[in-house]
């Protein structure tokens, strides 16, 4: 986004924190951030329930490490995504 969404969402975060990672706000109002937001969003896709394995306590570190690597390369990776 070039502008941050307006509303009562993500109220506990500063603007730089909002820009730092992806966020998902569930219909019940619960907020997910970073890798956790990705796995929650993946669950909405066909076959996405398999992503739930990365939310298990023993694999959360792998989910978050993977998210950190991908997020740190956003600029490079965006070349492969059509705008």
């Amino acid at each position: 986004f070039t502008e941050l969404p307006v509303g009562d969402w993500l109220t506990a975060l500063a603007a730089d924190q909002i820009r730092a990672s992806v966020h998902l706000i569930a219909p019940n109002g619960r907020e997910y951030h970073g890798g956790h937001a990705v796995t929650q969003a993946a669950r909405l896709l066909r076959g996405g329930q398999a992503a739930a394995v990365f939310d298990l306590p023993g694999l959360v570190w792998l989910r978050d490490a993977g998210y950190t690597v991908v997020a740190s390369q956003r600029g490079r990776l965006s070349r492969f995504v059509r705008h």
Side-chain angles (χ1 to χ4, degrees):
F1 293 109
T2 55
E3 296 180 24
L4 295 175
V6 178
D8 294 333
W9 308 305
L10 307 172
T11 55
L13 300 176
D16 60 327
Q17 291 174 306
I18 293 172
R19 289 184 189 99
S21 69
V22 67
H23 306 277
L24 174 77
I25 303 171
N28 65 4
R30 184 165 179 196
E31 299 175 7
Y32 299 94
H33 311 282
H36 200 188
V38 173
T39 55
Q40 291 298 313
R43 291 176 187 208
L44 301 173
L45 303 172
R46 182 176 298 159
Q49 288 298 323
V53 71
F54 293 105
D55 290 332
L56 294 173
L59 293 177
V60 168
W61 69 271
L62 182 61
R63 175 197 72 198
D64 292 342
Y67 178 82
T68 299
V69 169
V70 171
S72 71
Q73 300 300 316
R74 278 188 203 126
R76 290 183 183 157
L77 295 172
S78 67
R79 291 184 286 177
F80 302 105
V81 179
R82 291 185 179 190
H83 294 82

